[in-house]
Amino acid sequence: MLVTLSAVALFGILTFALLRGRYVGPLAALVLFLFGFFVADTGASTAIRAVCRALADAANHIA
């Protein structure tokens, strides 16, 4: 899994702060959560990993 626990905790705290400060409503937060959940289940996540891997390889060859 590419997401570490610290990133999950950071986004959880950020979501809680945004909900608490009433910058987003509960329905908007639920929609965004479900969007991320379903995108992670598609092939888009593998494509994003491939792009990130290609950028990292390119950066290693430049340096």
Side-chain angles (χ1 to χ4, degrees), residues 10-43:
L10 177 68
F11 284 121
I13 291 169
L14 180 63
T15 302
F16 178 75
L18 289 173
L19 284 169
R20 182 92 170 142
R22 302 204 188 248
Y23 291 107
V24 291
L27 184 61
L30 178 65
V31 167
L32 291 176
F33 169 77
L34 290 174
F35 175 73
F37 182 77
F38 287 116
V39 166
D41 194 31
T42 64

